Amino acid sequence: MDAKYPIGQFTCNETITHEDIHQWIQEIKLLPTRLSEMVKGLTDEKLEKTYRPGGWTVRQLVHHIADSHLNSYTRFKLALTEDNPTIKPYEEEKWALLVDSHLPISVSIQLIEALHERWVYLLESLTEEQLNRTFVHPDNGDISLKKNVGIYAWHGNHHLAHIQLALKEESRSI
């Protein structure tokens, strides 16, 4: 197993079905609960565990999910209100080192819960036309909102798998 991509890299069929969208929205909806259950009651020592040498700690992963999903939610809203906007990427590795990544994870858990409630409400309301809207990622080109739903369902599961790996007894700490 590749610890960097424990569930594999995101792959997407050329044709995205309504069933795909529905499944991905459900995964996004369930992420806050799954994440909360996974990290509930962890000690500071366990929050400093990593999923691989040089990888992020559990604490950094939780804060990263909040950062990343907040950015994605903003990208959805930009694509829904502007014509194929070019989004601004961010330096996620540098964000993970900022001082707010040392806050208790409860802060980011609360943010993820509230954000996902709004995000899922928005996602469930989107029409086919809206799901086909796009934004431009400077590194990855045009991305449709329907594909981005899948990317972020995968993203949450990807980092949940990292946290599971980190919490195994043989994991390393910084």
Side-chain angles (χ1 to χ4, degrees):
M1 179 193 51
D2 177 2
K4 188 171 182 179
Y5 294 100
I7 64 169
Q9 294 192 38
F10 176 72
T11 58
C12 188
N13 293 328
E14 201 165 311
T15 301
I16 299 171
T17 67
H18 292 289
E19 291 78 20
D20 293 331
I21 299 292
H22 177 74
Q23 176 62 39
W24 292 336
I25 291 172
Q26 291 309 303
E27 290 175 28
I28 290 170
K29 184 177 189 173
L30 293 174
L31 178 71
T33 301
R34 293 177 65 209
L35 179 61
S36 293
E37 289 173 1
M38 192 175 291
V39 300
K40 185 177 181 178
L42 291 181
T43 63
D44 282 337
E45 180 182 356
K46 288 198 176 193
L47 289 170
E48 295 309 312
K49 297 282 185 182
T50 63
Y51 62 95
R52 66 181 175 91
W56 286 339
T57 66
V58 171
R59 182 184 318 274
Q60 287 173 309
L61 287 163
V62 171
H63 292 308
H64 165 71
I65 292 168
D67 290 341
S68 178
H69 290 204
L70 185 59
N71 271 281
S72 182
Y73 178 67
T74 301
R75 292 169 182 177
F76 270 83
K77 293 189 86 156
L78 289 169
L80 289 167
T81 59
E82 299 176 21
D83 186 26
N84 199 33
T86 299
I87 57 93
K88 182 172 183 339
Y90 70 103
E91 299 286 338
E92 61 185 37
E93 295 82 12
K94 291 180 181 179
W95 283 40
L97 299 174
L98 291 172
V99 69
D100 62 335
S101 69
H102 299 288
L103 282 167
I105 61 170
S106 61
V107 173
S108 283
I109 295 289
Q110 290 172 351
L111 175 58
I112 292 165
E113 288 170 347
L115 173 64
H116 278 238
E117 185 171 345
R118 286 191 64 178
W119 197 7
V120 168
Y121 187 80
L122 177 67
L123 292 174
E124 289 177 337
S125 77
L126 297 180
T127 65
E128 186 70 27
E129 181 181 337
Q130 289 171 316
L131 286 165
N132 286 323
R133 292 185 65 89
T134 59
F135 61 82
V136 179
H137 189 291
D139 299 327
N140 303 317
D142 285 1
I143 299 176
S144 70
L145 292 186
K146 65 170 51 173
K147 181 176 182 180
N148 213 39
V149 175
I151 290 169
Y152 277 86
W154 171 86
H155 185 262
N157 291 327
H158 168 68
H159 287 308
L160 286 175
H162 283 155
I163 292 169
Q164 286 175 322
L165 283 174
L167 295 177
K168 287 185 176 179
E169 207 163 319
E170 67 271 12
S171 295
R172 304 176 185 271
S173 59
I174 288 184

